[in-house]
Amino acid sequence: MKNSYWFKQTTSNGKRERRLSLGEYKRAASWSKYLVSSGAAIKGEGEEEWSADMSQLYIGSKFASGRHSRIYRGIYKQRDVAIKLISQPEEDRDLAALLEKHFTSEVSLLLRLNHPNIITFIAACKKPPVFCIITEYLPGGSLRKYLQQQEPYSLPLNLVVKLALDVALGMQYLHAQGIIHRDLKSENLLLDEDMHVKVADFGISCLESQSGRAKGFTGTYRWMAPEMIKGKNHTRKVDVYSFGIVLWELITALTPFDDMTAEQAAFAVCQKNARPPLPAACPTAFCKLINRCWANNPNKRPYFEEIVTVLESYAESLEQDPEFFSSNEPPRHHIMWQCLSKCILFKRSTSPRT
């Protein structure tokens, strides 16, 4: 692997060196050299079940970056992996504490997840000033990158359904675990070699029981539900709103609100109830589903159980009739979906809460 190296030692006389300054960690070619390692297993604070054996970790080149993270390709115990590094700046203690909180939360959530449409967690290392999370490596890159390589409105509808269903299945599982993603977007949806989608990046995810108001870094404006932008109490329905934006992306292969800044998009969504424009050629069935998902009122958005049922029915109908989406009227079995939706809502309203 090109540009690869083993971790460098960053301690002297048995003492940990200071954290990086803000300028240093922004300019550093790689944060991995600041990761404290003795070449043996590093035990996190009581979290031994997920601690990485650093002697088995080999870091290669960076292939993605976020606001406060960088992602590298690497090898861990002879397996291709993605390595997410989070660095704490020295000058901003509040930011350093928030990043540590996000790291701890992400690891604790990943540990409990096991689903074919959720990224597979492998190990992690918690040693300030740099933390790392090791997951499986998906060679297809992000859905955002894939869409940027396509012509607008060019994705076949059967592929749109396939990709959307993968996302919905992953999100249905996540919500069944009581977890809200809170940053669902095409950049955080990864593709494997067979074009299957896996939901990734749980840095600001949380248990729904602990969601409360939006604080700190909570999502990305272009995909963010209006109640979260406003800092109001939010539920799992914020993920359904974001899914509506992702579905729009699949239909158009465009960036939502690409003629606005992120702040302008947030203002338009909250104050003007704006949404990305649906193309005139968008099939009626998709238009109805998208409009329901990004409804301004969270209570009018469907649950992922219903979304999965709808998309599975789309996939089945396409197999039987390639011209399924050319109809201007919703197919007859939409009535069945509406009945199913009412049954789901009735079941939720009558079941005892824990």
Side-chain angles (χ1 to χ4, degrees), residues 27-250:
R27 293 190 301 269
S30 174
W31 291 341
S32 60
K33 65 182 179 180
Y34 297 102
L35 231 173
V36 178
S37 172
S38 60
I42 291 181
K43 301 302 181 185
E45 301 168 359
E47 302 285 355
E48 296 187 3
E49 69 272 16
W50 53 255
S51 294
D53 181 351
M54 304 306 286
S55 67
Q56 299 292 313
L57 183 61
Y58 192 56
I59 290 190
S61 57
K62 181 180 71 176
F63 66 86
S65 60
R67 190 183 303 175
H68 302 287
S69 63
R70 297 179 182 179
I71 303 177
Y72 298 80
R73 185 173 180 180
I75 298 173
Y76 184 66
K77 296 183 177 180
Q78 300 182 336
R79 176 179 181 178
D80 283 340
V81 296
I83 306 155
K84 178 180 178 180
L85 299 184
I86 305 103
S87 180
Q88 295 178 297
E90 183 181 46
E91 294 96 331
D92 193 333
R93 292 186 178 182
D94 290 341
L95 175 58
L98 183 61
L99 292 175
E100 182 171 357
K101 179 181 178 182
H102 287 171
F103 166 84
T104 303
S105 174
E106 183 168 9
V107 171
S108 65
L109 293 178
L110 282 169
L111 274 169
R112 60 194 290 178
L113 300 177
N114 181 21
H115 188 273
N117 296 114
I118 299 290
I119 194 76
T120 300
F121 172 77
I122 297 175
C125 170
K126 185 178 181 181
K127 281 287 184 179
V130 177
F131 307 144
C132 76
I133 296 175
I134 305 169
T135 62
E136 64 177 320
Y137 174 75
L138 298 182
S142 73
L143 179 61
R144 176 77 251 149
K145 181 179 179 181
Y146 172 78
L147 292 174
Q148 288 173 338
Q149 296 170 345
Q150 312 305 312
E151 292 294 325
Y153 315 107
S154 65
L155 260 67
L157 291 176
N158 61 333
L159 180 58
V160 171
V161 173
K162 174 187 179 299
L163 297 174
L165 183 55
D166 278 352
V167 179
L169 286 167
M171 293 306 302
Q172 179 186 24
Y173 169 79
L174 202 64
H175 284 186
Q177 305 302 307
I179 297 171
I180 310 176
H181 190 282
R182 302 204 298 183
D183 198 16
L184 182 62
K185 57 182 180 179
S186 52
E187 189 66 35
N188 290 337
L189 299 170
L190 306 180
L191 299 167
D192 68 12
E193 63 275 7
D194 297 318
M195 287 293 289
H196 291 298
V197 184
K198 297 198 178 191
V199 181
D201 200 336
F202 296 87
I204 62 171
S205 301
C206 69
L207 295 174
E208 186 169 23
S209 60
Q210 301 171 350
S211 59
R213 293 181 179 271
K215 296 179 181 179
F217 303 121
T218 49
T220 309
Y221 281 149
R222 298 178 192 277
W223 287 263
M224 196 187 299
E227 64 269 25
M228 182 169 281
I229 296 174
K230 296 175 182 178
K232 294 183 176 181
N233 289 339
H234 54 275
T235 67
R236 64 183 66 184
K237 291 297 186 72
V238 297
D239 288 340
V240 177
Y241 176 95
S242 300
F243 177 80
I245 301 291
V246 170
L247 192 50
W248 178 90
E249 289 182 273
L250 290 170

Side-chain angles (χ1 to χ4, degrees), residues 310 313-314 317 320 324 330-339:
V310 170
S313 185
Y314 285 176
S317 297
Q320 297 174 358
F324 165 68
R332 291 179 180 177
H333 46 277
H334 273 218
I335 299 174
M336 178 189 71
W337 298 334
Q338 293 171 3
C339 292

